[in-house]
Amino acid sequence: MVKFLGSENDRRFRPRTALGRWCLVLGWCLLVSVNAGGGGARAAVDVAFPGPERVDVAGGANSVVAVSWPDENRDYFVVGGGDGFLNLVKYNSTSDFFTTITRFSVGGDVVFLGPWENRVSGGTGVVAATTSPDRVVFIDVVETYPHFSLVQAMDLEEDPGSCAFVGDSLAGPAEVAVSLPGIDRVVVLQENSGIWTRTQVLEVGDDPFSVAGGDLDADGVREMVIAERGALSRSLAVFARNEDGQYTVASRQTVAGTPTHLQTFDIDGDAVPEVGLVCPDSTRVLIYGDLGGGLEELYRIETNVIADRLWLSTLPGDRKSLFASSRVRGLIEVFSFDGTWEQQDAYYPGCRPLNCITCDVNGDGVEDLVSPGGDANLVTVLFGDDEGRFWGFPAFGLTATPGASSLGDFDGDGHQDLVVSGTDRNQLSYFSGLPDGGLSTTAVDQDLDVLVGQMATIDVDADPRLDLAVLDVLGGNIRILEHDGSTGFVELSRFATGSYPDYVISGDLDADGLNDLIVIAQVSDRLEVYFGVGDGVFSGPVEVSIANGADRVLPVQLNGDLWLDLVVTDGVGRVWSVVNLDGRSFGLESWETAGTGAFHLAASDLDGDLDEDIVVANRLENSLSILENDGSGTLIRRIGSRALPSRPDGILCEDINQDGKNDIAINLRNDSNIGVVYSAGDWTYSPVLEYASGADAIGFSTGDFNSDGVPDFLTLDRSLLLGLTMLNVERVLVSVEPEALAVHCLHGGMVAFIVPDRPGPWSLELNAGTGWKLLVDSGQGFAGVLDYYDGGWQLTLSAAEMAELRADGTGTLTLKLTVGEGTQQESLLVPLDPDCIGTGAAGQATLLWSREPWPNPFNPSVSAEFYLATRAEVAVEVYDLVGRRVAILARGSFRAGPHSVTWDGRSNNREAAAGLYLLRISTPAAEVSRKVLLVK
């Protein structure tokens, strides 16, 4: 199943949000707003959909390998491209961006990259296999520029497939096996005195694509395992090294499928590796082990989509995990092992991955997921968390090209489910909602005897289950389906409509408590309204004519009476209003001008007057039009034509940033983005902020898919045949490097945290353009206030002190921390922000988090630490998400420096209900707050 990442429970140290970056560019920061509906002040959430991080790589990204050095606490990665270059990529902790440090030419198309294992000379290196020219290249990788240097290149007589280290690399010479699929051979290379030579050429089975090494029989020497994928073999062959150093066939295992890619890895912890294998002509991964008489199948893992590469790794909690990637479907499925294999997650990595690896690119101690995107010229990174999950788009595979979809509790268990129809086969795919949020990864597919068109969620009876109204396009029928709670949908009723029904929507037009249906035919200038009479039975139709024809329709309350009216777009440039006279008859239509190609409709209270206004997406001029409902049955055009970056393929209204005002989301399918314009009130909106989604989202919807109280997006991708969940959460990473010096600028003042990272003397100095001035020397302060706590030193300088230290200097303010002595001495330079410029005036009372609330989620208590720059009046309070104060934790005058608070999860001496709360710390000059989740 898909386990969706939460939001606030994953907060760590340094915020990195997409909205934050856009705020810098556009000057838009929607942080705190007033609830237009009259509910009082509400703090807006930071909006971010932390999907894959993109790393643009010139020349393509065919393969990737991680490298690291002893004095680094994180991994770099090397990307091999089709342009014959290797790219060394580093994650920058300050900017939250990736940087290509250097490029190195190896001449040919890099089809394989692997680590240079157990080098006699020590150090870090990589082994690359290239085509045009066909060769194997051994490359040294060092910390200093130019980082790469060629050690040796060996020519091959055919395109290589893959490489693997084999033999006894500890006691004997290093050996590498290179597969040559085109001529059915494997070449063995051996290193002696730093020189690689060819020692053996093996004639193997048909098309030996993938090769791996592993000590399968625990004799201290690694065997060679070959995936022979050709039609004449389709086997898994093991070659063992004899006393003469030659490799001969030890066993050959026929595989039920086409073996393509394999990897060896110790899954069960017995120090003997197993062999993982993918067969891209079936939805399975096979795990083999040597039980004494050759390889035997141990496990068979069923995947949702056909995989063509795999990666085995260990995630936090010593959990053995398998990653099965599909280039065609753009999906990576994750399985974990605890005696048996179970699916843990599935992700869209932001590309069609050729393969994937795990490594720690940000230095937080947990594995991240890196995927090369081939000729898409990018590598993507999904940051991992300490629960072994990743910051990406949780995804699930579809078995048919998606058409229509509906969200609702169809099985009556209280959780939101998803139903998707297929356009290339007559079926419904049903994804059940999970108790802790999200949707099942695996669908229950149900064949139907009709081609399903549009669908509408409807409630036709008294049971707790929602029902479906499904258009039978070719048959000219509407079928009412009900989920039986276990096996699938059953038909309750059907009735005929006008020819070729194209669109259907539900609503209680006559206010009798029963849902009615409004239908648009493909070629028609009228609407057909069918009135529910109970148990899936409908009467009618009542026809409503529209002068220019109808494309989309919404039931909306326009004039404040009992009955819902109709709002219609005509695809040309008008929005039509049809007043419901008495529940089942309709008056003449009126119209208001929209933009060219007025098509998609959404209704929402945009101005806080408690009636629904109208948003129109204009497909021909790529714009939005916004119409105000004045409550008397008239629509007034407020925004005639607001330009969009590309054609809108759907719109919806939702309070995305939870500030009490509904925003507008647009499916920008041609850009592979979801666009959002945020409401600032009074019919004022932000620029269009674009968030990357899938490659070809044909439809999208909103829902709270991770139970954090914040709306998320669900998109259906036609190109990838995937459902993608864009979770609206804040991705906050662990500090990516041990920071010996961290600085916070506080309204002209400064707080520096110093944690010397080696023994010996240390000093902190400031340079304002007039030379270095000593601030601290090995714990003795010469300026400001110096305190020691929590394993480090804290220096506080007021604005007046900063101004005095700056004196007449006009240069950039720079701090220098020098630690250690002799050859171990190092200095760290930190340029200061412009805010750290003293004016001589007293600094304002300012606060910041020293440690954000933890544990989070919590039960029974949560703690937090904060820092005050100067003495100030402080209030520490807990609020629920509708703005009601739940608890007062502290009030009064607090000294400057660090403080801690704890909430015991109680309100008025009673246990508070489980759910999300806001822990807020405020002074007259500043405020910080974080959401905390109380679980029971």
Side-chain angles (χ1 to χ4, degrees):
M1 66 182 183
V2 176
K3 295 286 288 182
F4 294 113
L5 289 170
S7 55
E8 306 307 322
N9 58 322
D10 293 298
R11 293 184 185 274
R12 302 285 180 79
F13 181 76
R14 181 181 291 119
R16 297 282 184 260
T17 67
L19 181 60
R21 297 184 190 138
W22 275 104
C23 285
L24 296 177
V25 176
L26 302 172
W28 269 89
C29 277
L30 307 175
L31 297 179
V32 178
S33 62
V34 177
N35 183 346
R42 178 185 297 182
V45 301
D46 292 336
V47 175
F49 300 94
E53 294 285 328
R54 293 171 55 99
V55 184
D56 294 323
V57 179
N62 296 341
S63 51
V64 64
V65 64
V67 296
S68 61
W69 293 280
D71 58 347
E72 290 273 3
N73 71 312
R74 41 79 180 280
D75 296 314
Y76 295 46
F77 55 87
V78 180
V79 183
D83 61 350
F85 278 84
L86 299 183
N87 304 271
L88 183 62
V89 180
K90 174 187 178 181
Y91 175 72
N92 188 304
S93 61
T94 303
S95 63
D96 191 25
F97 286 104
F98 289 87
T99 303
T100 298
I101 299 174
T102 190
R103 284 166 53 81
F104 178 76
S105 175
V106 293
D109 185 351
V110 182
V111 296
F112 172 85
L113 268 178
W116 190 340
E117 300 179 14
N118 301 316
R119 298 182 64 183
V120 175
S121 61
T124 299
V126 298
V127 180
T130 71
T131 61
S132 302
D134 304 333
R135 60 184 184 175
V136 175
V137 184
F138 297 89
I139 300 165
D140 196 26
V141 189
V142 296
E143 297 173 81
T144 56
Y145 185 83
H147 301 289
F148 293 108
S149 61
L150 177 65
V151 176
Q152 187 176 346
M154 299 194 67
D155 291 332
L156 303 169
E157 57 266 44
E158 181 57 71
D159 292 351
S162 65
C163 303
F165 279 82
V166 295
D168 186 354
S169 60
L170 295 178
E175 292 181 324
V176 170
V178 185
S179 66
L180 306 177
I183 57 176
D184 300 338
R185 291 177 182 173
V186 171
V187 176
V188 180
L189 310 178
Q190 189 178 94
E191 183 186 26
N192 288 285
S193 302
I195 303 299
W196 288 90
T197 58
R198 181 181 301 201
T199 59
Q200 189 178 1
V201 177
L202 301 174
E203 301 291 338
V204 296
D206 188 14
D207 196 6
F209 178 74
S210 183
V211 60
D215 185 7
L216 305 179
D217 55 7
D219 65 351
V221 179
R222 286 183 289 188
E223 285 74 42
M224 182 192 311
V225 188
I226 304 170
E228 300 169 336
R229 67 179 182 181
L232 301 178
S233 295
R234 293 192 176 177
S235 59
L236 195 60
V238 178
F239 283 70
R241 192 171 185 266
N242 61 27
E243 295 179 356
D244 297 329
Q246 300 295 296
Y247 287 87
T248 59
V249 177
S251 66
R252 181 170 270 112
Q253 172 72 45
T254 301
V255 177
T258 303
T260 299
H261 180 73
L262 54 85
Q263 184 189 358
T264 56
F265 187 80
D266 181 15
I267 295 170
D268 52 16
D270 63 355
V272 178
E274 286 72 38
V275 180
L277 177 70
V278 293
C279 298
D281 48 8
S282 64
T283 54
R284 71 172 67 100
V285 174
L286 305 175
I287 306 293
Y288 288 87
D290 191 337
L291 302 182
L295 293 179
E296 296 185 23
E297 184 180 314
L298 301 179
Y299 308 101
R300 180 170 295 194
I301 305 169
E302 295 296 331
T303 58
N304 286 296
V305 303
I306 294 175
D308 41 33
R309 291 292 190 274
L310 63 83
W311 177 263
L312 288 152
S313 180
T314 301
L315 295 183
D318 197 32
R319 187 171 72 248
K320 302 299 188 294
S321 298
L322 181 147
F323 300 79
S325 62
S326 170
R327 182 182 185 184
V328 173
R329 300 292 296 278
L331 184 68
I332 296 179
E333 298 184 72
V334 187
F335 300 84
S336 60
F337 181 76
D338 186 13
T340 58
W341 289 97
E342 292 186 0
Q343 187 168 50
Q344 169 91 18
D345 295 293
Y347 299 97
Y348 170 59
C351 65
R352 296 179 184 266
L354 288 177
N355 50 66
C356 64
I357 66 169
T358 55
C359 58
D360 182 8
V361 301
N362 61 346
D364 62 357
V366 298
E367 298 285 274
D368 309 305
L369 186 62
V370 182
S371 304
D375 55 11
N377 293 344
L378 61 88
V379 175
T380 61
V381 179
L382 305 184
F383 287 105
D385 72 355
D386 54 12
E387 294 183 355
R389 296 189 172 93
F390 298 90
W391 285 107
F393 294 157
F396 50 85
L398 302 170
T399 55
T401 301
S405 64
S406 290
L407 282 166
D409 181 11
F410 297 107
D411 56 10
D413 64 354
H415 308 298
Q416 189 168 240
D417 313 308
L418 172 69
V419 180
V420 182
S421 67
T423 60
D424 52 359
R425 63 181 68 177
N426 299 344
Q427 75 172 34
L428 294 178
S429 296
Y430 173 75
F431 298 87
S432 60
L434 302 176
D436 54 351
L439 299 165
S440 170
T441 311
T442 304
V444 176
D445 292 330
Q446 183 173 345
D447 292 331
L448 301 177
D449 60 351
V450 297
L451 177 62
V452 177
Q454 283 291 321
M455 300 185 297
T457 302
I458 190 170
D459 189 4
V460 301
D461 49 29
D463 64 30
R465 299 188 297 269
L466 291 177
D467 311 300
L468 273 180
V470 175
L471 293 185
D472 172 3
V473 177
L474 299 181
N477 294 316
I478 291 182
R479 302 195 182 195
I480 307 300
L481 306 181
E482 179 185 54
H483 199 280
D484 65 7
S486 57
T487 59
F489 287 93
V490 296
E491 184 176 311
L492 288 181
S493 63
R494 73 172 72 177
F495 57 92
T497 69
S499 61
Y500 304 116
D502 181 64
Y503 186 78
V504 62
I505 193 168
S506 65
D508 186 5
L509 299 179
D510 54 2
D512 65 352
L514 298 173
N515 281 177
D516 312 309
L517 291 172
I518 311 156
V519 180
I520 302 175
Q522 289 185 14
V523 182
S524 175
D525 60 355
R526 68 181 186 277
L527 306 172
E528 297 177 349
V529 182
Y530 297 85
F531 294 95
V533 297
D535 296 325
V537 178
F538 290 80
S539 65
V542 172
E543 295 185 355
V544 179
S545 296
I546 303 295
N548 288 355
D551 279 299
R552 290 293 182 265
V553 59
L554 278 179
V556 177
Q557 177 56 257
L558 293 178
N559 55 8
D561 60 13
L562 294 177
W563 308 293
L564 293 179
D565 310 297
L566 302 178
V567 175
V568 186
T569 54
D570 61 9
V572 179
R574 293 178 177 180
V575 178
W576 299 78
S577 303
V578 183
V579 175
N580 188 344
L581 299 177
D582 58 7
R584 296 200 174 192
S585 63
F586 298 88
L588 296 176
E589 70 272 13
S590 60
W591 55 267
E592 179 59 67
T593 302
T596 306
F599 192 85
H600 297 287
L601 279 171
S604 181
D605 181 9
L606 300 177
D607 54 5
D609 63 357
L610 302 183
D611 56 29
E612 291 187 301
D613 308 299
I614 303 299
V615 183
V616 184
N618 306 301
R619 299 198 303 179
L620 297 183
E621 69 177 25
N622 301 340
S623 70
L624 293 179
S625 299
I626 300 179
L627 309 178
E628 180 186 4
N629 177 4
D630 70 357
S632 66
T634 302
L635 294 176
I636 303 170
R637 189 171 64 164
R638 283 288 185 177
I639 297 177
S641 181
R642 182 183 180 88
L644 298 174
S646 62
R647 169 176 161 152
D649 275 284
I651 56 171
L652 53 84
C653 294
E654 181 69 77
D655 186 3
I656 306 297
N657 61 351
Q658 296 291 277
D659 66 348
K661 296 182 286 291
N662 286 320
D663 312 302
I664 304 168
I666 313 103
N667 180 13
L668 301 174
R669 178 180 175 184
N670 291 341
D671 294 342
S672 300
N673 290 331
I674 298 296
V676 180
V677 290
Y678 292 94
S679 173
D682 296 327
W683 306 103
T684 303
Y685 292 88
S686 76
V688 181
L689 273 67
E690 296 185 60
Y691 303 95
S693 63
D696 184 26
I698 66 156
F700 74 138
S701 54
T702 59
D704 182 8
F705 297 108
N706 56 351
S707 301
D708 67 348
V710 180
D712 311 305
F713 288 125
L714 177 68
T715 69
L716 299 177
D717 197 280
R718 177 170 290 181
S719 174
L720 301 172
L721 298 188
L722 294 180
L724 309 181
T725 311
M726 300 170 59
L727 299 178
N728 182 5
V729 298
E730 182 182 358
R731 174 177 66 82
V732 183
L733 302 180
V734 171
S735 178
V736 295
E737 293 177 326
E739 293 190 15
L741 176 61
V743 182
H744 297 281
C745 297
L746 306 170
H747 295 277
M750 180 196 78
V751 179
F753 299 95
I754 307 118
V755 183
D757 59 357
R758 65 198 65 206
W762 61 274
S763 63
L764 182 68
E765 300 170 273
L766 174 71
N767 192 332
T770 57
W772 293 102
K773 299 179 181 181
L774 183 65
L775 303 180
V776 184
D777 185 7
S778 297
Q780 181 180 359
F782 294 92
V785 178
L786 183 68
D787 293 305
Y788 179 85
Y789 83 103
D790 198 25
W793 298 87
Q794 175 183 292
L795 174 67
T796 304
L797 296 171
S798 69
E801 290 168 320
M802 286 293 292
E804 182 179 350
L805 286 166
R806 184 179 177 86
D808 296 328
T810 57
T812 301
L813 289 171
T814 305
L815 282 177
K816 179 171 70 173
L817 176 67
T818 304
V819 182
E821 54 187 340
T823 59
Q824 296 299 311
Q825 186 181 84
E826 286 194 0
S827 294
L828 175 65
L829 296 176
V830 177
L832 300 185
D833 291 338
D835 286 345
C836 290
I837 298 176
T839 62
Q844 291 179 283
T846 306
L847 79 158
L848 51 86
W849 293 110
S850 298
R851 184 177 183 184
E852 296 187 1
W854 87 95
N856 196 7
F858 73 95
N859 186 358
S861 63
V862 59
S863 299
E865 296 176 359
F866 64 96
Y867 173 82
L868 276 176
T870 61
R871 176 177 291 276
E873 292 294 322
V874 177
V876 184
E877 300 162 307
V878 179
Y879 290 83
D880 63 20
L881 293 189
V882 297
R884 295 172 299 203
R885 188 169 61 207
V886 173
I888 300 174
L889 306 184
R891 275 187 176 176
S893 179
F894 282 61
R895 61 170 175 80
H899 302 274
S900 62
V901 293
T902 298
W903 181 40
D904 61 4
R906 299 179 66 82
S907 175
N908 296 323
N909 294 321
R910 296 182 180 180
E911 290 187 0
L916 278 168
Y917 295 89
L918 191 72
L919 175 59
R920 186 172 73 182
I921 305 172
S922 59
T923 72
E927 175 184 306
V928 293
S929 61
R930 286 292 181 265
K931 281 190 284 187
V932 295
L933 178 61
L934 173 59
V935 296
K936 294 295 182 71

